[in-house]
Short mmCIF file of all heavy atoms in Angstrom, two decimals:
data_model
loop_
_atom_site.label_atom_id
_atom_site.label_comp_id
_atom_site.label_asym_id
_atom_site.label_seq_id
_atom_site.Cartn_x
_atom_site.Cartn_y
_atom_site.Cartn_z
N ALA A 1309 263.65 180.24 29.76
CA ALA A 1309 262.59 180.78 30.53
C ALA A 1309 262.24 179.84 31.68
O ALA A 1309 261.89 180.25 32.79
CB ALA A 1309 261.38 181.09 29.72
N GLU A 1310 262.29 178.54 31.39
CA GLU A 1310 261.89 177.45 32.43
C GLU A 1310 263.13 177.09 33.26
O GLU A 1310 262.91 176.41 34.29
CB GLU A 1310 261.30 176.35 31.81
CG GLU A 1310 259.96 176.52 31.00
CD GLU A 1310 259.54 175.38 30.28
OE1 GLU A 1310 260.34 174.33 30.20
OE2 GLU A 1310 258.44 175.36 29.69
N GLY A 1311 264.25 177.47 32.84
CA GLY A 1311 265.44 177.10 33.63
C GLY A 1311 266.22 178.28 34.28
O GLY A 1311 265.69 178.76 35.25
N PRO A 1312 267.28 178.76 33.69
CA PRO A 1312 268.12 179.73 34.38
C PRO A 1312 267.35 181.01 34.61
O PRO A 1312 267.52 181.68 35.80
CB PRO A 1312 269.24 179.98 33.40
CG PRO A 1312 269.31 178.76 32.55
CD PRO A 1312 268.00 178.32 32.47
N VAL A 1313 266.57 181.44 33.70
CA VAL A 1313 265.72 182.70 33.99
C VAL A 1313 264.76 182.57 35.10
O VAL A 1313 264.68 183.42 35.97
CB VAL A 1313 265.04 183.14 32.66
CG1 VAL A 1313 264.19 184.27 32.94
CG2 VAL A 1313 266.06 183.38 31.60
N ALA A 1314 264.08 181.43 35.13
CA ALA A 1314 263.02 181.25 36.31
C ALA A 1314 263.79 181.08 37.62
O ALA A 1314 263.30 181.56 38.67
CB ALA A 1314 262.28 179.95 36.05
N GLU A 1315 264.98 180.52 37.66
CA GLU A 1315 265.86 180.34 38.87
C GLU A 1315 266.11 181.73 39.34
O GLU A 1315 266.35 181.79 40.66
CB GLU A 1315 266.99 179.51 38.61
CG GLU A 1315 266.69 178.10 38.26
CD GLU A 1315 268.00 177.33 37.83
OE1 GLU A 1315 269.06 177.94 37.81
OE2 GLU A 1315 267.85 176.12 37.53
N GLN A 1316 266.26 182.67 38.64
CA GLN A 1316 266.54 184.09 39.13
C GLN A 1316 265.42 184.89 39.32
O GLN A 1316 265.46 186.17 39.43
CB GLN A 1316 267.56 184.80 38.15
CG GLN A 1316 268.85 184.04 37.85
CD GLN A 1316 269.73 184.00 39.07
OE1 GLN A 1316 269.71 184.92 39.94
NE2 GLN A 1316 270.47 182.82 39.27
N ASN A 1317 264.16 184.30 39.41
CA ASN A 1317 262.89 184.96 39.54
C ASN A 1317 262.66 186.03 38.49
O ASN A 1317 262.06 187.08 38.80
CB ASN A 1317 262.94 185.54 40.91
CG ASN A 1317 262.86 184.55 41.99
OD1 ASN A 1317 262.30 183.48 41.95
ND2 ASN A 1317 263.62 184.79 43.16
N LEU A 1318 263.03 185.76 37.30
CA LEU A 1318 262.84 186.69 36.16
C LEU A 1318 261.89 186.05 35.16
O LEU A 1318 261.57 184.89 35.23
CB LEU A 1318 264.10 187.02 35.46
CG LEU A 1318 265.17 187.72 36.31
CD1 LEU A 1318 266.50 187.86 35.48
CD2 LEU A 1318 264.70 189.04 36.82
N VAL A 1319 261.34 186.82 34.36
CA VAL A 1319 260.40 186.37 33.27
C VAL A 1319 260.95 186.74 31.95
O VAL A 1319 261.32 187.87 31.73
CB VAL A 1319 258.97 186.99 33.49
CG1 VAL A 1319 258.03 186.63 32.34
CG2 VAL A 1319 258.39 186.58 34.79
N LEU A 1320 261.03 185.74 31.03
CA LEU A 1320 261.50 186.01 29.56
C LEU A 1320 260.39 185.91 28.68
O LEU A 1320 259.73 184.93 28.60
CB LEU A 1320 262.50 184.94 29.36
CG LEU A 1320 263.24 184.96 27.89
CD1 LEU A 1320 263.95 186.34 27.74
CD2 LEU A 1320 264.06 183.86 27.67
N GLU A 1321 260.27 186.94 27.91
CA GLU A 1321 259.05 187.08 26.99
C GLU A 1321 259.63 187.61 25.65
O GLU A 1321 260.29 188.50 25.54
CB GLU A 1321 258.03 187.97 27.57
CG GLU A 1321 256.73 188.13 26.52
CD GLU A 1321 255.71 189.00 27.35
OE1 GLU A 1321 255.78 189.24 28.50
OE2 GLU A 1321 254.80 189.44 26.44
N GLN A 1322 259.13 186.98 24.52
CA GLN A 1322 259.47 187.33 23.15
C GLN A 1322 258.44 188.33 22.78
O GLN A 1322 257.16 188.02 22.87
CB GLN A 1322 259.46 186.13 22.22
CG GLN A 1322 259.76 186.56 20.77
CD GLN A 1322 259.73 185.40 19.94
OE1 GLN A 1322 259.75 184.25 20.32
NE2 GLN A 1322 259.85 185.66 18.57
N VAL A 1323 258.94 189.53 22.35
CA VAL A 1323 257.89 190.68 22.12
C VAL A 1323 257.86 190.95 20.67
O VAL A 1323 256.94 191.70 20.28
CB VAL A 1323 258.54 191.79 22.91
CG1 VAL A 1323 258.36 191.73 24.38
CG2 VAL A 1323 259.77 192.37 22.46
N TYR A 1324 258.73 190.37 19.78
CA TYR A 1324 258.60 190.64 18.30
C TYR A 1324 258.99 189.55 17.59
O TYR A 1324 260.08 188.84 17.99
CB TYR A 1324 259.47 191.91 18.03
CG TYR A 1324 259.17 192.45 16.59
CD1 TYR A 1324 257.92 193.04 16.29
CD2 TYR A 1324 260.08 192.38 15.62
CE1 TYR A 1324 257.69 193.55 14.97
CE2 TYR A 1324 259.89 192.68 14.28
CZ TYR A 1324 258.71 193.42 14.06
OH TYR A 1324 258.51 193.78 12.72
N ASP A 1325 258.38 189.26 16.35
CA ASP A 1325 258.71 188.14 15.64
C ASP A 1325 258.26 188.43 14.20
O ASP A 1325 257.24 188.68 13.83
CB ASP A 1325 257.93 186.88 16.08
CG ASP A 1325 258.27 185.65 15.22
OD1 ASP A 1325 259.10 185.72 14.35
OD2 ASP A 1325 257.68 184.57 15.40
N GLU A 1326 259.33 188.69 13.29
CA GLU A 1326 259.03 189.08 11.90
C GLU A 1326 258.53 187.94 11.00
O GLU A 1326 257.95 188.04 10.04
CB GLU A 1326 260.35 189.66 11.27
CG GLU A 1326 260.62 191.08 11.59
CD GLU A 1326 261.76 191.64 10.78
OE1 GLU A 1326 262.14 191.05 9.88
OE2 GLU A 1326 261.93 192.89 10.97
N THR A 1327 258.65 186.59 11.65
CA THR A 1327 258.27 185.53 10.83
C THR A 1327 256.58 185.50 10.71
O THR A 1327 256.18 184.65 9.92
CB THR A 1327 258.72 184.30 11.34
OG1 THR A 1327 258.31 184.07 12.77
CG2 THR A 1327 260.25 184.21 11.33
N ILE A 1328 255.99 186.27 11.52
CA ILE A 1328 254.54 186.22 11.44
C ILE A 1328 254.04 186.82 10.15
O ILE A 1328 252.99 186.35 9.74
CB ILE A 1328 253.90 187.05 12.64
CG1 ILE A 1328 254.31 188.44 12.57
CG2 ILE A 1328 254.25 186.40 14.02
CD1 ILE A 1328 253.69 189.41 13.60
N TYR A 1329 254.77 187.63 9.50
CA TYR A 1329 254.43 188.05 8.16
C TYR A 1329 254.66 187.03 7.14
O TYR A 1329 253.90 186.91 6.08
CB TYR A 1329 255.25 189.38 7.87
CG TYR A 1329 255.01 190.49 8.89
CD1 TYR A 1329 256.08 190.83 9.78
CD2 TYR A 1329 253.79 191.12 9.00
CE1 TYR A 1329 255.83 191.80 10.78
CE2 TYR A 1329 253.59 192.13 9.94
CZ TYR A 1329 254.59 192.42 10.75
OH TYR A 1329 254.48 193.41 11.70
N ILE A 1330 255.70 186.25 7.30
CA ILE A 1330 255.91 185.18 6.38
C ILE A 1330 254.81 184.07 6.53
O ILE A 1330 254.24 183.56 5.58
CB ILE A 1330 257.25 184.57 6.57
CG1 ILE A 1330 258.42 185.54 6.39
CG2 ILE A 1330 257.52 183.33 5.65
CD1 ILE A 1330 259.69 185.14 6.52
N GLU A 1331 254.45 183.75 7.83
CA GLU A 1331 253.41 182.82 7.96
C GLU A 1331 252.09 183.38 7.50
O GLU A 1331 251.27 182.68 6.99
CB GLU A 1331 253.29 182.56 9.57
CG GLU A 1331 254.54 181.87 10.06
CD GLU A 1331 254.50 181.72 11.56
OE1 GLU A 1331 253.54 182.33 12.26
OE2 GLU A 1331 255.24 181.03 12.13
N GLY A 1332 251.82 184.82 7.57
CA GLY A 1332 250.59 185.32 7.07
C GLY A 1332 250.66 185.24 5.56
O GLY A 1332 249.66 185.05 4.91
N ALA A 1333 251.95 185.32 4.85
CA ALA A 1333 251.88 185.15 3.39
C ALA A 1333 251.59 183.67 3.11
O ALA A 1333 250.83 183.38 2.05
CB ALA A 1333 253.23 185.50 2.94
N ILE A 1334 252.03 182.75 3.91
CA ILE A 1334 251.72 181.30 3.61
C ILE A 1334 250.23 181.16 3.78
O ILE A 1334 249.47 180.48 2.90
CB ILE A 1334 252.44 180.40 4.58
CG1 ILE A 1334 253.93 180.54 4.30
CG2 ILE A 1334 252.06 178.86 4.37
CD1 ILE A 1334 254.87 179.67 5.26
N ASP A 1335 249.62 181.74 4.78
CA ASP A 1335 248.24 181.64 4.97
C ASP A 1335 247.49 182.32 3.80
O ASP A 1335 246.34 181.72 3.27
CB ASP A 1335 247.69 182.30 6.29
CG ASP A 1335 248.31 181.55 7.50
OD1 ASP A 1335 248.60 180.37 7.37
OD2 ASP A 1335 248.36 182.13 8.49
N LEU A 1336 247.97 183.36 3.27
CA LEU A 1336 247.35 184.08 2.11
C LEU A 1336 247.32 183.16 0.84
O LEU A 1336 246.35 182.99 0.19
CB LEU A 1336 248.09 185.31 1.76
CG LEU A 1336 247.58 186.13 0.55
CD1 LEU A 1336 246.20 186.57 0.69
CD2 LEU A 1336 248.61 187.28 0.29
N VAL A 1337 248.44 182.45 0.60
CA VAL A 1337 248.53 181.49 -0.45
C VAL A 1337 247.55 180.43 -0.20
O VAL A 1337 246.83 180.09 -1.26
CB VAL A 1337 250.01 180.94 -0.70
CG1 VAL A 1337 250.03 179.89 -1.59
CG2 VAL A 1337 250.96 182.07 -0.97
N THR A 1338 247.47 179.80 0.92
CA THR A 1338 246.48 178.78 1.18
C THR A 1338 245.00 179.26 0.94
O THR A 1338 244.20 178.59 0.36
CB THR A 1338 246.60 178.30 2.63
OG1 THR A 1338 247.96 177.86 2.77
CG2 THR A 1338 245.77 177.11 2.86
N GLN A 1339 244.80 180.43 1.44
CA GLN A 1339 243.44 181.08 1.36
C GLN A 1339 243.08 181.27 -0.23
O GLN A 1339 242.07 181.03 -0.63
CB GLN A 1339 243.38 182.43 2.00
CG GLN A 1339 242.04 183.06 1.94
CD GLN A 1339 242.06 184.49 2.58
OE1 GLN A 1339 243.01 184.79 3.28
NE2 GLN A 1339 240.97 185.25 2.53
N ASN A 1340 244.07 181.74 -0.96
CA ASN A 1340 243.88 181.97 -2.40
C ASN A 1340 243.69 180.70 -3.16
O ASN A 1340 242.87 180.65 -4.14
CB ASN A 1340 245.03 182.70 -3.00
CG ASN A 1340 244.92 184.31 -2.82
OD1 ASN A 1340 244.42 184.92 -3.75
ND2 ASN A 1340 245.36 184.76 -1.73
N ILE A 1341 244.34 179.61 -2.76
CA ILE A 1341 244.09 178.37 -3.35
C ILE A 1341 242.64 177.86 -3.13
O ILE A 1341 241.98 177.49 -4.12
CB ILE A 1341 245.15 177.30 -2.85
CG1 ILE A 1341 246.51 177.64 -3.22
CG2 ILE A 1341 244.80 175.93 -3.28
CD1 ILE A 1341 247.60 176.75 -2.78
N TRP A 1342 242.20 178.03 -1.96
CA TRP A 1342 240.79 177.55 -1.62
C TRP A 1342 239.79 178.44 -2.28
O TRP A 1342 238.88 178.00 -2.99
CB TRP A 1342 240.62 177.60 -0.11
CG TRP A 1342 241.12 176.38 0.58
CD1 TRP A 1342 242.28 176.40 1.40
CD2 TRP A 1342 240.74 175.10 0.65
NE1 TRP A 1342 242.54 175.20 1.92
CE2 TRP A 1342 241.57 174.38 1.37
CE3 TRP A 1342 239.59 174.43 -0.03
CZ2 TRP A 1342 241.38 172.96 1.65
CZ3 TRP A 1342 239.58 173.09 0.29
CH2 TRP A 1342 240.40 172.37 1.02
N ILE A 1343 240.06 179.83 -2.17
CA ILE A 1343 238.98 180.70 -2.80
C ILE A 1343 239.13 180.52 -4.34
O ILE A 1343 238.00 180.52 -5.09
CB ILE A 1343 239.32 182.10 -2.47
CG1 ILE A 1343 239.06 182.33 -0.87
CG2 ILE A 1343 238.46 183.18 -3.21
CD1 ILE A 1343 239.39 183.69 -0.37
N GLY A 1344 240.26 180.44 -4.98
CA GLY A 1344 240.36 180.29 -6.32
C GLY A 1344 239.73 179.03 -6.90
O GLY A 1344 239.01 178.89 -7.88
#
Side-chain angles (χ1 to χ4, degrees):
E1310 297 175 352
V1313 176
E1315 293 173 359
Q1316 300 298 324
N1317 295 323
L1318 300 175
V1319 177
L1320 181 63
E1321 180 177 344
Q1322 181 179 347
V1323 296
Y1324 189 70
D1325 180 6
E1326 284 194 355
T1327 60
I1328 59 176
Y1329 302 107
I1330 300 178
E1331 294 172 354
I1334 296 175
D1335 294 339
L1336 175 64
V1337 174
T1338 305
Q1339 178 183 357
N1340 274 266
I1341 292 174
W1342 283 106
I1343 294 177

